[in-house]
Amino acid sequence: MDSPSSTAAETRITGRASILLPLPLAGAYDYLVPEGMILHAGDYVVVPLGTRERIAVVWGPGSDALPAARLKAVLERRDAPPMPADLRAFIDWVASYTIQPPGAVLRMAMRVPAALTPPTPVTAYLFSGGKLPERLTEPRRRVLDTMAATSDPLTAAEIARKAQVSNAVVRGLADCGALKRVSRPRHAPLPQPVLDTESVTLSPDQQAAAATLRTSIAQDAFSVTLLEGVTGSGKTEVYFDAIAETLRRGRQALILLPEIALTVQFLSRFEKRFGCQPAAWHSELSPPRRQHIWRAVAEGEVRVLVGARSALFLPFSEPGLIVVDEEHDPAFKQEEGVIYHARDMAVVRASLGGFPILLSSATPSLESRVNAASGRYRTIALPQRHGGAMLPTIEAVDMRAAALPADRWLSPQLVTRMGETLERGEQVLLFLNRRGYAPLTLCRACGHRLECPHCSAWLVEHRFHGRVQCHHCGFEAAKPESCPACGEEASLVACGPGIERLAEEVARVLPAVTPAILSGDNPRERGLSSVRETIDAFGRGDIRLLIGTQIIAKGHNFPGLTLVGVVDADLGLSGGDLRAAERTFQLLHQVSGRAGRGERPGHVILQSYMPEHPVMQALVSGDSERFMTTETAARRARRLPPFGRLVALILSGPDLGQIQQLAATLARTAPHETGVTLLGPAPAPLALLRGRHRYRLLLMTDRQRNIQQTIRRWLAQHKIPNAVRLHIDVDPYSFL
Ligand code: ADP
Ligand code: ZN
């Protein structure tokens, strides 16, 4: 079965070719095709640009606009699978939608230029079966034992690792004829998923869901399915079935996860179902691994890939299914460079490629719900936890009534429950989305607050390291002994809790337990492996009480966890984010969903100063439907997304006056069309970030309009000075 990209044979391009460079230029450039060079759209080529040579992609036939004398010639065609037509169409689409130069989007698809050179073969070794060496040392014997057990040619390094010897031992055995040298492709073949493992039997509900998905896949056409299932209902098992079906039909599958680097549990589950780990794509891959996987995706050797949002730009040769797991997760929004939402762009990729996509979540985004309600998306529901496990009971504790002293954050109700739970041998999770010791440090004498010198943000104390840190730019300093403003000694006091400080309180109220803390938001802080270790240790039950930030909310299974305490349930509700309520609901629902996944029922305590808030009410009653319906009606009434469209423009630069002036000029010339409203310019809530002043403009429009075109025309009238950066954020999710 061929994918659409490979059935449409490309016509040969002669004379002139339009070449797109992976650079933020206005568009593609024309080059001459040398006599005898065979080029097709999608080919990777080397072209001169200025005084340099660049790798670029043939985008189509060239035009006659310029005299041939002004054009340079293509230097070379690279020996790599051409970029598929559907990926090229996707790059153009994303560029047009996000109002970015196509070359800036192409750059995301060409992050691994080394992969465009075919890998050179390597020397490998085989057991020669004949001659034994005269001197049979212990290391030599280990090598020969290793090699006798395999018929695959292995490199010296691979053998050395297996037999625990040095490379020289291997070479020595080859020199005396006990091993023979052969040439082998650089990489051993990737393990291939096995489809017919009998790892699970789907429940009747799950079977029905899987059958619906299989029908979508069999239709071999674009469709979007929203899989909404409570936490623990088996959504993953169901989409594994869809992946198996995709593989059976000879297509590749892509699974997008919000936090790929931390999904150890996911990878081992995949391995249980398919007999091998999937190929993974994320920021921590080593460059050689990155090259290998990129090329294996392009050549069709990778059948299933699990990736972060950048995996959308990989050159799949036979794409057949995309799964977006936790589709509501804000981490799918890329906030830098080309600003895009990976879930939305994944839908576009599937539509351009003509294959199905599955969005999975326990708490689907309002956007996806609206699309489902209007019939644009199919829906499948899994309303029950697998194996009869109960959903946790959720209770809100009114913190106004608790009247705690200023340095205490755990209500008596929560402390009592924690004690009882631990006594029964069960586990407790405290959730607080605040890293460090305290979010604010204040001088008792003069009221001065420790602020970042480069950002409009407070410095967060990290007491373990004795330092204060800016969570926006990474600025760090030793915690001062005296107030930097008034000089008073020992006057600085911590205000509010971070997870480190909460650990102190736990140690005070429950002296018998040693709490562990986990904040993966900044893996460098503690090392990613220690994050994994902590998650594993909690999963095994070796840690009794864990205090964590949102890293802990996602996808993990902790069978012994029966009590979740949300320390500050109101935390996400303040601020000017139109999705604040929705997001808080989703996050707290997800955290709550960690409880009671094993045999014993779970309980959740939400500590809130506004337990009457619709978000708390929805969580307590479990009536998410009503909450989302009310939210939807409110958005509809205010013409907010998904009923209207927003585009944010953020100007930033070192000179405040220059930014203000440019913002005013932009506002004065803003498009005057009915149905388009401009809000701002106004200083951004983060008015200073990394030493740059920031101003925001926000356009609100209806959905039918091609607002991108309007904005392009508007911005084309202005020259943005070099010192100023303009970020265009179509469908903004961050309002900082
Ligand atoms: P979700 O993705 O909806 O949170 P999972 O797929 O992670 O749910 O399933 C929750 C737990 O139940 C997992 O440990 C999973 O292995 C188990 N499970 C789900 N469905 C089945 C099944 N049909 N047979 C056996 N175990 C299952
Ligand atoms: Zn800062």
Side-chain angles (χ1 to χ4, degrees):
M1 218 172 317
D2 274 338
S3 66
S5 53
S6 53
T7 45
E10 305 282 358
T11 44
R12 182 173 165 185
I13 292 174
T14 52
R16 296 167 176 218
S18 169
I19 308 270
L20 189 62
L21 288 125
L23 297 168
L25 308 166
Y29 287 179
D30 280 355
Y31 283 86
L32 299 172
V33 181
E35 207 65 38
M37 186 184 282
I38 299 181
L39 282 190
H40 296 91
D43 280 343
Y44 295 93
V45 288
V46 180
V47 294
L49 181 77
T51 57
R52 296 188 50 184
E53 294 182 1
R54 295 275 188 176
I55 300 184
V57 179
V58 179
W59 222 244
S63 78
D64 292 329
L66 287 174
R70 297 204 26 211
L71 299 185
K72 293 184 177 169
V74 175
L75 298 173
E76 174 195 335
R77 180 187 168 278
R78 279 298 169 92
D79 185 9
M83 180 179 280
D86 62 340
L87 179 53
R88 281 180 280 131
F90 179 60
I91 288 169
D92 279 334
W93 202 99
V94 173
S96 150
Y97 187 82
T98 58
I99 320 185
Q100 293 297 321
V105 182
L106 175 65
R107 187 160 55 183
M108 300 196 289
M110 287 182 61
R111 282 275 153 80
V112 211
L116 299 173
T117 315
T120 45
V122 290
T123 303
Y125 300 84
L126 279 175
F127 191 43
S128 67
K131 237 167 86 196
L132 281 183
E134 282 162 27
R135 233 169 25 87
L136 193 59
T137 59
E138 175 57 25
R140 285 184 157 189
R141 206 183 49 72
R142 284 209 301 274
V143 170
L144 293 175
D145 285 351
T146 306
M147 295 312 287
T150 173
S151 55
D152 296 331
L154 301 176
T155 64
E158 287 164 355
I159 298 167
R161 208 177 318 125
K162 281 195 182 202
Q164 309 219 312
V165 300
S166 72
N167 291 11
V169 177
V170 179
R171 283 195 296 267
L173 282 169
D175 290 342
C176 70
L179 296 181
K180 67 176 179 231
R181 288 194 169 88
V182 294
S183 173
R184 187 200 88 180
R186 176 163 297 269
H187 303 290
L190 291 168
Q192 293 297 318
V194 181
L195 300 185
D196 311 313
T197 54
E198 295 285 320
S199 67
V200 295
T201 314
L202 296 182
S203 69
D205 269 10
Q206 293 171 341
Q207 263 177 35
T212 310
L213 278 176
R214 256 181 266 133
T215 314
S216 298
I217 289 162
Q219 279 164 355
D220 197 18
F222 171 63
S223 64
V224 190
T225 307
L226 178 63
L227 174 59
E228 177 176 9
V230 298
T231 48
S233 58
K235 296 185 290 300
T236 315
E237 301 297 342
V238 168
Y239 76 65
F240 278 175
D241 190 82
I243 286 167
E245 185 62 17
T246 305
L247 298 179
R248 255 177 233 123
R249 303 178 66 89
R251 297 295 191 85
Q252 295 163 298
L254 164 63
I255 308 169
L256 289 180
L257 298 180
E259 309 268 349
I260 180 72
L262 294 164
T263 44
V264 209
Q265 286 192 345
F266 178 87
L267 296 180
S268 51
R269 270 183 79 181
F270 186 95
E271 186 167 4
K272 244 192 186 157
R273 172 65 177 79
F274 291 105
C276 70
Q277 295 229 338
W281 186 259
H282 54 82
S283 57
E284 282 175 67
L285 292 186
S286 69
R289 182 75 184 162
R290 197 170 277 275
Q291 272 171 44
H292 180 198
I293 297 296
W294 194 95
R295 196 140 178 132
V297 169
E299 288 173 347
E301 191 190 353
V302 164
R303 304 316 295 175
V304 184
L305 183 122
V306 181
R309 54 191 181 225
S310 61
L312 266 184
F313 293 91
L314 286 172
F316 293 92
S317 54
E318 301 162 300
L321 176 70
I322 300 179
V323 175
V324 183
D325 200 353
E326 312 287 10
E327 68 90 32
H328 65 277
D329 197 299
F332 282 121
K333 185 74 194 287
Q334 158 123 343
E335 297 284 6
E336 280 176 4
V338 176
I339 300 177
Y340 67 94
H341 199 300
R343 176 201 58 223
D344 298 348
M345 294 307 115
V347 172
V348 173
R349 182 104 160 78
S351 130
L352 293 172
F355 56 83
I357 176 167
L358 174 69
L359 310 178
S360 172
S361 175
T363 51
S365 62
L366 198 146
E367 281 78 2
S368 295
R369 284 168 157 271
V370 168
N371 278 321
S374 73
R376 291 181 57 197
Y377 294 0
R378 256 170 237 171
T379 44
I380 303 176
L382 288 174
Q384 251 132 44
R385 277 194 166 177
H386 175 73
M390 298 284 287
L391 283 168
T393 47
I394 304 185
E395 139 191 38
V397 166
D398 188 342
M399 294 302 279
R400 290 167 302 200
L404 295 176
D407 60 345
R408 301 280 295 268
W409 294 277
L410 299 174
S411 63
Q413 291 96 317
L414 181 51
V415 172
T416 308
R417 275 276 188 172
M418 285 161 62
E420 291 167 0
T421 306
L422 294 167
E423 213 148 276
R424 284 196 303 271
E426 297 162 13
Q427 288 167 289
V428 176
L429 174 68
L430 291 182
F431 173 73
L432 176 64
N433 215 0
R434 264 195 180 140
R435 288 184 283 143
Y437 185 80
L440 167 66
T441 308
L442 186 84
C443 171
R444 225 179 346 221
C446 74
H448 177 76
R449 298 159 170 210
L450 291 189
E451 280 188 26
C452 176
H454 314 296
C455 305
S456 24
W458 296 335
L459 290 175
V460 177
E461 181 182 355
H462 287 248
R463 193 161 281 193
F464 287 171
H465 310 286
R467 300 183 74 77
V468 286
Q469 200 186 71
C470 172
H471 285 178
H472 292 285
C473 73
F475 170 86
E476 262 198 36
K479 190 185 167 198
E481 300 282 327
S482 54
C483 172
C486 71
E488 184 79 12
E489 296 279 327
S491 68
L492 295 173
V493 286
C495 297
I499 51 175
E500 292 178 9
R501 196 174 193 186
L502 207 58
E504 278 184 8
E505 185 178 353
V506 170
R508 228 181 308 145
V509 296
L510 296 169
V513 288
T514 317
I517 67 169
L518 183 70
S519 67
D521 314 51
N522 182 1
R524 258 160 298 161
E525 210 173 292
R526 305 184 62 223
L528 197 57
S529 59
S530 95
V531 170
R532 282 182 190 149
E533 274 160 30
T534 308
I535 288 176
D536 285 350
F538 195 55
R540 284 194 308 269
D542 294 349
I543 293 172
R544 313 299 307 158
L545 188 152
L546 183 64
I547 305 174
T549 60
Q550 63 180 0
I551 191 74
I552 206 69
K554 295 182 183 162
H556 309 290
N557 252 326
F558 303 121
L561 172 65
T562 57
L563 176 66
V564 170
V566 177
V567 177
D568 184 353
D570 313 330
L571 193 56
L573 288 173
S574 54
D577 184 342
L578 72 99
R579 295 181 183 83
E582 180 194 352
R583 277 188 182 183
T584 303
F585 173 77
Q586 284 159 343
L587 179 60
L588 297 187
H589 188 282
Q590 203 162 21
V591 178
S592 304
R594 300 306 110 213
R597 296 188 127 211
E599 323 241 286
R600 310 209 202 173
H603 188 70
V604 180
I605 290 185
L606 306 172
Q607 298 195 140
S608 171
Y609 283 89
M610 37 184 170
E612 66 286 345
H613 192 286
V615 167
M616 306 309 150
Q617 291 298 318
L619 288 162
V620 169
S621 66
D623 192 353
S624 54
E625 207 53 51
R626 202 178 65 180
F627 168 71
M628 288 306 259
T629 310
T630 318
E631 275 290 299
T632 307
R635 294 243 199 119
R636 193 193 301 270
R638 295 165 60 200
R639 308 301 305 157
L640 287 172
F643 303 101
R645 191 184 295 290
L646 298 178
V647 180
L649 277 68
I650 301 114
L651 289 165
S652 69
D655 179 351
L656 177 60
Q658 186 183 36
I659 296 295
Q660 284 170 329
Q661 203 178 8
L662 185 60
T665 313
L666 282 179
R668 217 172 27 246
T669 55
H672 278 289
E673 294 177 17
T674 42
V676 182
T677 316
L678 173 73
L679 303 178
L686 253 173
L688 188 67
L689 180 63
R690 298 187 182 91
R692 300 173 72 87
H693 298 276
R694 301 169 78 242
Y695 260 70
R696 293 183 64 102
L697 296 95
L698 190 65
L699 286 177
M700 293 180 66
T701 86
D702 46 61
R703 278 201 88 80
Q704 296 72 33
R705 179 184 314 268
N706 185 343
I707 188 68
Q708 283 88 350
Q709 205 175 19
T710 307
I711 293 176
R712 273 178 205 278
R713 274 203 303 266
W714 170 34
L715 295 178
Q717 307 161 29
H718 300 278
K719 167 104 187 71
I720 308 290
N722 280 340
V724 176
R725 251 178 260 153
L726 170 63
H727 281 285
I728 305 175
D729 187 353
V730 180
D731 307 331
Y733 277 68
S734 164
F735 295 86
L736 288 180

